[in-house]
Amino acid sequence: MSALFLHAVALYHTEIQFFEEEKKWYEADYLMKQALTYVKQTLASTPENVSSLTQTVSFVHGQATYRATRIEPDVWSVTVSCITNAQFRYDVQFQFDASTNNISVWREAY
């Protein structure tokens, strides 16, 4: 009976850990979506004579830092690093075509 009780407690503890990890990822994903919206709007309206941008933006759930380098007249190479208020980090790299508003060559780093 004790072994069954201990097993149930261990399962409960595992579920709590899973929930906490999922919560971190959910917050990081939401923060990244906010950052991507901001970055896309900024790059789409950046004058052609600007070849690179770097900025840190604060949001409710954390902050995002992005670095963008123009590789063609309408195409940018972008790195975005998001850090949630709980200090969980989520980094991505991609290319953004400002003329079509499309993201391609998406790569995540953990």
Side-chain angles (χ1 to χ4, degrees):
M1 188 70 130
S2 295
L4 185 60
F5 176 73
L6 289 175
H7 180 69
V9 169
L11 286 176
Y12 175 74
H13 180 68
T14 302
E15 286 182 27
I16 295 296
Q17 287 177 325
F18 178 77
F19 172 76
E20 290 299 322
E21 197 65 26
E22 280 294 308
K23 182 178 173 186
K24 288 178 191 177
W25 274 107
Y26 176 78
E27 288 176 352
D29 188 54
Y30 183 73
L31 178 60
M32 183 60 74
K33 286 178 183 175
Q34 288 180 308
L36 289 176
T37 299
Y38 181 87
V39 169
K40 287 168 63 175
Q41 289 173 347
T42 301
L43 296 179
S45 64
T46 299
E48 287 186 23
N49 63 341
V50 176
S51 62
S52 65
L53 290 171
T54 300
Q55 186 177 15
T56 299
V57 184
S58 293
F59 297 98
V60 173
H61 295 286
Q63 67 179 21
T65 300
Y66 73 90
R67 287 173 294 291
T69 304
R70 194 183 298 264
I71 56 176
E72 291 181 20
D74 288 329
V75 180
W76 295 83
S77 175
V78 184
T79 302
V80 180
S81 179
C82 293
I83 301 177
T84 66
N85 293 333
Q87 301 305 308
F88 187 77
R89 185 179 185 122
Y90 181 23
D91 299 327
V92 298
Q93 294 176 329
F94 59 90
Q95 288 183 1
F96 173 67
D97 188 333
S99 64
T100 61
N101 203 34
N102 285 332
I103 289 177
S104 62
V105 193
W106 180 271
R107 192 170 68 200
E108 297 181 359
Y110 303 102

